[in-house]
Amino acid sequence: MRRFLRPGHDPVRERLKRDLFQFNKTVEHGFPHQPSALGYSPFLHLMAIGTRSGAIKLYGAPGVEFMGLHEENNTVMQIHFIPDQCQLVTLLDDNSLHLWSLKQHGGASELLEEHRFTLKGPPGSPPSATQITAVLPHSSREVLYLGTESGNIFVVELPSFRVLEDRTVTPEAVLQRIPEDNCNRRSCELVEALREHPKNPDQILIGYSRGLIVLWDLQNNKATHHFLGSQQLENLYWQRDGSKFISCHYDGSYTQWPVSSDNRQPEPLENTVPYGPFPCKAISKIYWQTTKNGLPYIIFQGGMPRASYGDRHSISVIHGSQQTAFDFTSRVIDFFIIFSSDPAAEFDDPSALVVLAEEELVVIDLKSAGWPAVHPPYLASLHCSAITCSHHVSNIPLKLWERIISAGSKQNIHYSSMPWPIDGGTNIAPDPPQRDLLLTGHEDGTVRFWDASGVCLHLLYKLSTVKVFLTDADPNDNMNTLGEDEWPPLRKVGTFDPYSDDPRLGIQKIYLCKYSGYLAVAGTAGQVLVMELNDEDAEHVVDHAEADLLQDQEGYRWKGHEKLKTRDGPVRFEAGFQPFVLVQCQPPAVVTSLALHSEWKLVAFGTSHGFGLFDHQQKRLVFVKCTLHPSDQLALEGPLSRVKSLKKSLRQSFRRIRRSRVSSRKRRGGSGNASEVQEANAKFDQDALQEMELAPVQRKIEARSAEDSFTGFVRTLYFADTFLRDSSRHCPSLWAGTNGGTVYAFCLRVPPAERRMDEPVRAEQAKEIQLMHRAPVVGILVLDGRSTPLPEPLEVAHDLSKSPDMQGSHQLLVVSEEQFKVFTLPKVSSKLKLKLTALEGCRVRKVTVANFGSCKTDDYSENDLAVLTNLGDIQIISLPFLKLQIRYPCIRKEDVSGIASCVFTKYGQGFYLISPSEFERFSLSTKWLVEPRCIVDMPEVTSNNHVHSTSGTENAARKSSPGDCGEDERKSGRLMEHALLNDEKVLKEIQSTLEGGR
């Protein structure tokens, strides 16, 4: 049998792989991209958000999340929950209606689409005849009322979506009850709003776009009252007792209308233009909330003066003499009020205002003085400033975690202490096994610390690096400051701020040591800041040091942006991470790689020009190394230089070609030994590549020219305590990999702790490895004598890792974009390699070591490489033998930004941006899985025709014995059988099955 097995096929290993590896996309963190609709169920305490891509997301208590996706991928226009049910209806921009249900399966609730429906008119009718503009789910839970552009109101049965044609409310029927001198046919076009009477479910309020409002009696199919507005109608809202309703209009006004018991023609009680008398924008939605003290809350969207504030996105709250116009930095999609949902309650007593803006969710506490915002536990606006980089740290020690939370709580004193008001459902997911941090760097120079332990990505702390530098913005500016006589009374709310004072402030690299509390961040203008955690506010001078990476080489001129100017004298910092030293790279190019060793008190940094090492204890530069190639002119342009014209680009290209020809002739004509050796090596590399024997599944790796642009670009930096000079003594070392396939290794001499401040750290270059194919080096790793990756700094000192094996020989793993190669140390002789097996031009983009534990036993775990390619595939490769274990498709290959943003965790999970505001979380491990698991109890509501119990969904799935079956179940079974046999589609399927069997 063995000869029939594929080479390398091991059944035991295959079983183990199933216990170790499993790919799942688990949860989406952040704020939905391009939201388009909002819904809320006062009964379930759940909120729903729809997007332009057809996604629908439900949120309740922290950890309670559901997601559904319409197959059509059309924009969700409206969301309506069915009263007192675990169901909701969505309206898409293709005029289709979709019924969704929350059903229990396997002990947890799931969001499932049950039915879809498109309203169709009679043959030959225009599309406007059935174009839905307003949806009203009736409190009977049996029907939907659908208002259309033509003025017709169709009645649709639930859950079957069957149109009840005999109950359609036509414009002609409405006009019959309205005096001719007050109305014409055009007054009944386009139904703008439908509202059910709060005390009488047999009456609905119909609002037409041109200002006509009709109170319609559903039982007698007639209009009992009509109200004539003089302005175009935008929306309607009933007061709680049903004695009055409010209409809001296009001219920025709202009107109160009384509803009398007789048929007298009602006159408006009051017409108000809150921000008049000048022309104002439309009030698109309004709430009138009653309170015990008699003063109502009037809350509306829009209504601002057109001339001065027409570009503002605002929602105003008026309560007695208090009035505030909350000003949002992005367009308001919709809003709702959380108030008393008890039908027996006499007053509304609103508690919170929930606003969905285009870029964030804002909740305002209406119970507390000053109406402060509520800190959201989820739906964080990750992109309040554009994300530029991310860094994940697993298993944070409790002490550091508490100190970060303490620093963050001091920043959140202006938030309300109100509990999160959207609290429906129950989170039944197990508690996270450890504390994880996700750090995001942003364009405005901030670093945000997120709790990534569980389903909710929650902001713990925000760090700003701006105070170190002089910028155009004054940090004392306060956009919320208002004068006493300021009108309208605007107040900026929310955190979304897409504008950066200076693009050079952008954070490009982050490195946090969880054991020492040291943090290093590096930016767009070559700035590297080293920080330490302080529990108190402090004022101190930030030390400066410059690192000239060009080392005064002649012939180079930096054409990019200037460095940031720093503040002189002491700077006051809030509690949290406070910078104590700034290293400024020259030229001030983007920092492309960063490494921090908190035990040796060293930080390494690299740019497109070279790399350097800085001793942050002595605050002294140890060394710099220029990696710039003579042809690397593009490296001197800078990322923020102006876009060059086509002529200039072509001219520079021809110059580079001419230069390369001249330099090659010089090399051929030169008589130096170095030139001869270089030429011989290049010829040997080419011959070796030509003669290389390729396996059928491996593509040929083409050697790149040493004169390709950006060859000096430093891609990776790595600290290791290993054998670099000889096999008897190990020493600290720094490794650097470049875009041109070069690996540099430096021996470091770090003085012992007692002489650490007296003696300088010394460095000496020990090795330089040039990969033959010259592919960019994206990862470097040293394996100890047990073939285990070296532990992190201070990990052994905190008893969280075994000491590395220093008896056996160490190995060096160099990962380039095109292959993995293992070298022995200290001789650096090639031992093993794996070429990337892809025919489509596959290249490594990200690589990290991940620990995978077995889901069957706690006694087994192993370290493997998690690799992301430019095709969006994730490959798991074993260590140290470099065997491909499994491959998963993860990200679309066209999603370049998603691939670039991906970050792996230490335990086989990962994050990548699926939009500017959302991280997709995935897991490669069977053991480490973070996903929503929650339950929403079915309501227990009894009506004439419907009975729903809390265990209704469980009863459907529960197996019971024939003796336990009651009369109701037998009756429902007969009804189901009758329905199936009358279904033409089912009969056809049965017939085709029988014919196939025959």
Side-chain angles (χ1 to χ4, degrees), residues 638-710:
L640 301 177
S641 60
R642 293 178 181 175
V643 177
K644 300 179 290 297
S645 66
L646 180 61
K647 286 183 180 179
K648 187 176 180 183
S649 298
L650 289 170
R651 195 181 305 123
Q652 287 181 345
S653 299
F654 282 121
R655 282 176 182 169
R656 277 198 295 274
I657 293 169
R658 199 178 303 121
R659 227 181 354 255
S660 66
R661 286 174 179 168
V662 170
S663 62
S664 62
R665 278 199 296 270
K666 283 180 180 177
R667 282 199 300 272
R668 282 196 296 271
S671 57
N673 292 332
S675 300
E676 290 175 8
V677 170
Q678 189 175 359
E679 186 178 349
N681 285 342
K683 187 174 186 306
F684 174 77
D685 290 351
Q686 290 288 346
D687 294 343
L689 285 169
Q690 292 293 334
E691 294 169 8
M692 192 180 292
E693 198 171 311
L694 298 174
V697 292
Q698 292 179 337
R699 68 185 176 87
K700 182 178 176 180
I701 296 176
E702 295 181 1
R704 306 183 190 199
S705 167
E707 296 168 359
D708 285 352
S709 295
F710 289 113

Side-chain angles (χ1 to χ4, degrees), residues 527-544:
Q527 71 271 28
V528 179
L529 284 163
V530 186
M531 312 184 186
E532 59 184 342
L533 191 55
N534 191 345
D535 297 328
E536 302 295 333
D537 294 2
E539 187 172 357
H540 60 258
V541 175
V542 178
D543 291 299
H544 299 150

